[in-house]
Amino acid sequence: MSVKNEFSKYANQYNSYNIIQQIVAKSIIRDIKDEPKRILELGCGSGQIIKHISWEYDYYKAIDFSQSMCDLHPKAENIDVLCFDFDSEAFIDNIKNDNYDCIISSSALQWSKDLSKIVKALSSISPKIFAVLFTSNTFKTIQTITNNKSPILDEESIKEAFSKYCDCEFETIKYNLEFDDKKKLFDYIKKSGVSGGKSLSFKDAKKLYKEYDLNYLEFEVIFVKAFSKS
């Protein structure tokens, strides 16, 4: 199952399972002080970023690679919601002649297969990028027990990709999300989308259920404030 399908499958339940995503979405908006009028958002989901924006803007372009998510996103005359994979040439072509005061991305770019290419394209159409990405240390104990590599980018790769084209400020934060029981914890992994559709074998799942003795899940996110060098 692809990442896209993982998010699409649980689109209608997503808001009850994306608690960490909601926390970081609020934080990212708090960091934006100058009330930008033209905004591009990558990985808009069902609209958790736009719902936190309190100022008036002239134009908002929201991009997500899941059509189910795009269908749930708020619509208006000055909001364009488009379904694109941001790793694709079609996405780069769509934005290359645009210009924005600010680009926002929350909990999405960690899935990129070529983050530096995306940052290069973004830095040429906006002076500022505010992004938050999950790092490969998310679900770290699970990876250790199952001996599986994280499907998402590590902290160093993220810093490297942004620093190539932008002057950056980085802040890495760890979150622990606690659960009342093991079943709820494992349900969360399945439905939150953070696992990226990478399902465990029966043997690994059984081993994990037996050996995972924490009552919380580990998340690590990196907040990025990037200012274009060009």
Side-chain angles (χ1 to χ4, degrees):
M1 190 192 284
S2 70
V3 178
K4 185 172 172 177
N5 289 342
E6 181 81 352
F7 283 101
S8 299
K9 189 175 171 189
Y10 298 109
N12 290 321
Q13 302 172 48
Y14 186 63
N15 286 334
S16 36
Y17 284 95
N18 70 343
I19 299 153
I20 302 294
Q21 287 95 325
Q22 288 177 46
I23 292 168
V24 298
K26 281 181 188 172
S27 302
I28 207 171
I29 292 302
R30 275 203 304 269
D31 277 345
I32 302 170
K33 310 291 186 201
D34 57 352
E35 303 192 353
K37 295 299 181 196
R38 288 182 58 82
I39 301 166
L40 170 66
E41 186 192 350
L42 302 189
C44 63
S46 57
Q48 61 264 33
I49 284 284
I50 205 167
K51 287 168 189 169
H52 291 303
I53 293 178
S54 56
W55 67 87
E56 285 186 23
Y57 46 82
D58 297 333
Y59 177 67
Y60 198 103
K61 185 186 273 190
I63 307 275
D64 202 276
F65 69 177
S66 163
Q67 188 59 57
S68 321
M69 289 293 188
C70 290
D71 293 343
L72 295 171
H73 194 279
K75 311 287 190 300
E77 269 186 26
N78 61 341
I79 300 171
D80 276 339
V81 183
L82 303 174
C83 189
F84 277 112
D85 176 346
F86 43 64
D87 274 322
S88 69
E89 285 304 321
F91 165 68
I92 302 290
D93 284 346
N94 180 271
I95 63 161
K96 67 184 179 190
N97 297 318
D98 290 0
N99 62 83
Y100 298 96
D101 299 322
C102 170
I103 295 170
I104 304 171
S105 182
S106 180
S107 319
L109 287 173
Q110 68 268 7
W111 301 112
S112 175
K113 294 175 181 68
D114 191 347
L115 182 57
S116 128
K117 180 184 173 183
I118 293 173
V119 174
K120 183 182 182 182
L122 299 180
S123 66
S124 69
I125 60 168
S126 176
K128 295 174 196 167
I129 305 166
F130 291 87
V132 58
L133 298 83
F134 283 91
T135 80
S136 58
N137 279 336
T138 294
F139 297 170
K140 193 176 181 180
T141 303
I142 292 175
Q143 292 163 41
T144 306
I145 293 170
T146 60
N147 203 22
N148 276 341
K149 190 177 179 289
S150 172
I152 58 180
L153 294 168
D154 61 65
E155 183 183 0
E156 281 315 303
S157 306
I158 293 166
K159 287 181 173 178
E160 199 179 307
F162 276 96
S163 299
K164 211 170 178 179
Y165 302 102
C166 302
D167 294 317
C168 303
E169 293 171 24
F170 299 109
E171 185 181 6
T172 303
I173 297 176
K174 290 179 167 64
Y175 295 96
N176 289 338
L177 187 60
E178 292 186 10
F179 293 84
D180 298 337
D181 61 56
K182 223 173 208 185
K183 186 184 180 304
K184 286 179 183 168
L185 184 146
F186 280 86
D187 271 355
Y188 182 94
I189 298 170
K190 191 174 159 189
K191 294 179 180 174
S192 67
V194 179
S195 59
K198 200 177 180 191
S199 54
L200 293 172
S201 67
F202 178 73
K203 187 184 168 190
D204 279 346
K206 197 174 170 185
K207 185 176 194 280
L208 185 61
Y209 204 84
K210 190 178 169 187
E211 294 181 25
Y212 196 84
D213 54 5
L214 305 174
N215 70 334
Y216 59 84
L217 286 171
E218 304 147 302
F219 296 84
E220 185 178 271
V221 299
I222 182 166
F223 285 84
V224 183
K225 290 181 194 171
F227 306 94
S228 175
K229 290 176 181 176
S230 54

